[in-house]
Amino acid sequence: SQKIEQNSEALNIQEGKTATLTCNYTNYSPAYLQWYRQDPGRGPVFLLLIRENEKEKRKERLKVTFDTTLKQSLFHITASQPADSATYLCALGQAGTALIFGKGTTLSVSS
Amino acid sequence: GAVVSQHPSWVICKSGTSVKIECRSLDFQATTMFWYRQFPKQSLMLMATSNEGSKATYEQGVEKDKFLINHASLTLSTLTVTSAHPEDSSFYICSARAPQTTDTQYFGPGTRLTVL
């Protein structure tokens, strides 16, 4: 069955540094990959979508890469701020189907 | 942007009672809605896919008679947890997809269910 792994449960970094989160998957060929932010007790908020034929996507301080050969996506937050502290979820999808989510990585940015 | 609401945001009930959770798309019509359940420090687990006007499709292991889903209109889907038990306590989240954006799902804020 398909499996999604996000490299670590928790990541602690200093304000101003770049946070890099990893999402690996097996037994699946997604048409696209999405990253969401989830705050405690809240639903996920969509951040970025990257398709299988795209290598990189950027949005403000966020950057996502997608390597279908390695079956891996990297999610970067540059110039991180304490307000970026949250759980970040990786999700895989194919056209017309529901998303499959990873467990998430909880990022803590200290000032 | 697309907004999805859920009601109630939290509910506490006694074991054996039924609880209804509403999911509404506020500014778009959602042909498909999804219901997820999330336990602490776990990923979102898909429970069922709901298409307007038809029966929901349940994931393996999800009891359709226990988790009743009704998608009666293009802006409203409901999840009823029947005869709730403490093990049903969880965070329930719905999402909706608009017809023109087949890849993007917009999530509601979630409903925290606690069964005593």
Side-chain angles (χ1 to χ4, degrees):
Chain A
S1 61
Q2 57 261 25
K3 190 175 179 182
I4 304 174
E5 284 187 354
Q6 294 193 239
N7 60 326
S8 56
E9 277 194 27
L11 179 65
N12 301 306
I13 64 168
Q14 286 265 305
E15 182 177 9
K17 301 290 186 184
T18 296
T20 298
L21 285 65
T22 305
C23 175
N24 295 293
Y25 60 92
T26 55
N27 298 327
Y28 198 66
S29 296
Y32 52 86
L33 186 147
Q34 301 185 17
W35 284 90
Y36 286 80
R37 169 181 173 142
Q38 187 176 26
D39 290 286
R42 305 293 294 172
V45 174
F46 171 76
L47 296 175
L48 279 169
L49 179 152
I50 187 166
R51 300 189 185 282
E52 59 179 335
N53 59 348
E54 297 175 317
K55 296 289 186 187
E56 182 179 299
K57 251 321 180 33
R58 290 177 187 261
K59 179 182 176 183
E60 298 172 351
R61 293 184 295 112
L62 309 180
K63 185 178 86 171
V64 173
T65 63
F66 193 11
D67 188 326
T68 54
T69 301
L70 291 177
K71 295 185 183 292
Q72 180 182 82
S73 173
L74 299 179
F75 177 75
H76 307 273
I77 305 176
T78 58
S80 59
Q81 305 164 0
D84 296 327
S85 299
T87 296
Y88 292 87
L89 304 171
C90 162
L92 305 180
Q94 295 174 338
T97 65
L99 294 170
I100 302 170
F101 283 86
K103 285 187 180 180
T105 296
T106 298
L107 174 67
S108 296
V109 181
S110 54
S111 54
Chain B
V3 178
V4 176
S5 70
Q6 277 184 245
H7 178 80
S9 54
W10 59 270
V11 57
I12 301 172
C13 69
K14 292 183 178 180
S15 187
T17 60
S18 294
V19 174
K20 180 186 281 189
I21 302 170
E22 292 186 349
C23 176
R24 292 181 185 273
S25 56
L26 299 185
D27 51 2
F28 68 101
Q29 293 186 329
T31 51
T32 304
M33 287 184 169
F34 304 93
W35 285 95
Y36 293 84
R37 181 168 53 183
Q38 186 179 34
F39 293 106
K41 297 190 183 297
Q42 297 296 312
S43 65
L44 279 74
M45 298 301 297
L46 179 67
M47 299 175 66
T49 300
S50 169
N51 291 298
E52 186 265 338
S54 62
K55 289 185 178 181
T57 302
Y58 291 81
E59 294 299 301
Q60 194 171 10
V62 178
E63 301 175 56
K64 61 180 181 181
D65 294 331
K66 181 167 184 62
F67 298 99
L68 300 178
I69 292 172
N70 185 8
H71 191 161
S73 77
L74 285 172
T75 58
L76 173 64
S77 177
T78 60
L79 168 68
T80 301
V81 183
T82 62
S83 186
H85 289 99
E87 57 266 29
D88 298 324
S89 299
S90 187
F91 192 50
Y92 292 85
I93 309 172
C94 74
S95 69
R97 192 165 61 201
Q100 65 272 26
T101 57
T102 56
D103 299 336
T104 305
Q105 289 179 222
Y106 303 97
F107 284 83
T111 297
R112 172 73 60 192
L113 170 63
T114 301
V115 184
L116 303 177

